[in-house]
Amino acid sequence: MCADRPKHLMLKATFAERVNGASYPLSNYLLRLMELKQSNLCLSADVTSPRKLLHLVDKIGPSIVILKTHYDILVGWDYDPQTGTGAKLGSLARKHGFLIFEDRKFCDIGHTVQMQYTAGSARIIDWAHIINVNMIPGRV
């Protein structure tokens, strides 16, 4: 960036000041969370054991605003919607105040992406707040 060129106003704004410009509820919530924690830290927890993941998240949860996961690399993921790994992650997210980002990189037609998110054994919709999608246009 050139020294003589002014910075964009949003770059100088605090997280709290940015909330007013956030038109999506999740963006608004994330900015409020960042202001509250005075952090924008996202932990990419690429461990392979659910036990290690839950232990790590419980320890670092108070310091992060987003936890990025890959449920399919965890050996022994418990799929039970009430007591399984996803439910436990959701409980830790509420306890420590962070969002869960399941890094899926879904890429398909809308209907298939919707089923991948809402159905199947992992039921990602039940425990993740954010996923990433490269959706091919089509009907949902």
Side-chain angles (χ1 to χ4, degrees), residues 60-120:
I60 199 156
S63 301
I64 63 174
V65 293
I66 296 178
L67 168 68
K68 186 168 82 69
T69 60
H70 293 276
Y71 90 88
D72 56 337
I73 68 169
L74 294 167
V75 178
W77 178 273
D78 182 346
Y79 292 97
D80 187 286
Q82 308 302 317
T83 61
T85 309
K88 289 176 181 173
L89 282 174
S91 177
L92 289 171
R94 287 185 299 279
K95 174 182 174 183
H96 297 301
F98 61 83
L99 296 173
I100 302 170
F101 169 24
E102 173 56 20
D103 192 6
R104 285 293 83 216
K105 298 177 184 76
F106 288 135
C107 182
D108 214 315
I109 61 170
H111 179 70
T112 301
V113 168
Q114 182 180 25
M115 289 190 322
Q116 289 171 318
Y117 181 59
T118 62

Side-chain angles (χ1 to χ4, degrees), residues 2-137:
C2 296
D4 59 339
R5 189 165 43 173
K7 289 185 177 184
H8 189 278
L9 290 177
M10 197 54 79
L11 294 176
K12 293 182 178 184
T14 66
F15 298 134
E17 292 167 341
R18 294 178 192 187
V19 167
N20 295 331
S23 57
Y24 296 102
L26 186 60
S27 300
N28 187 293
Y29 179 80
L30 179 58
L31 287 166
R32 289 177 189 276
L33 191 58
M34 290 164 54
E35 175 66 22
L36 179 69
K37 289 190 167 192
Q38 286 298 291
S39 172
N40 62 357
L41 186 62
C42 174
L43 170 66
S44 180
D46 294 336
V47 297
T48 57
S49 159
R51 184 182 59 76
K52 287 181 184 175
L53 175 64
L54 294 169
H55 177 76
L56 174 65
V57 170
D58 197 24
K59 295 296 181 202
I60 199 156
S63 301
I64 63 174
V65 293
I66 296 178
L67 168 68
K68 186 168 82 69
T69 60
H70 293 276
Y71 90 88
D72 56 337
I73 68 169
L74 294 167
V75 178
W77 178 273
D78 182 346
Y79 292 97
D80 187 286
Q82 308 302 317
T83 61
T85 309
K88 289 176 181 173
L89 282 174
S91 177
L92 289 171
R94 287 185 299 279
K95 174 182 174 183
H96 297 301
F98 61 83
L99 296 173
I100 302 170
F101 169 24
E102 173 56 20
D103 192 6
R104 285 293 83 216
K105 298 177 184 76
F106 288 135
C107 182
D108 214 315
I109 61 170
H111 179 70
T112 301
V113 168
Q114 182 180 25
M115 289 190 322
Q116 289 171 318
Y117 181 59
T118 62
S121 56
R123 298 260 324 141
I124 296 169
I125 193 172
D126 288 341
W127 52 270
H129 305 102
I130 304 167
I131 59 166
N132 47 352
V133 174
N134 181 17
M135 192 165 56
I136 299 168

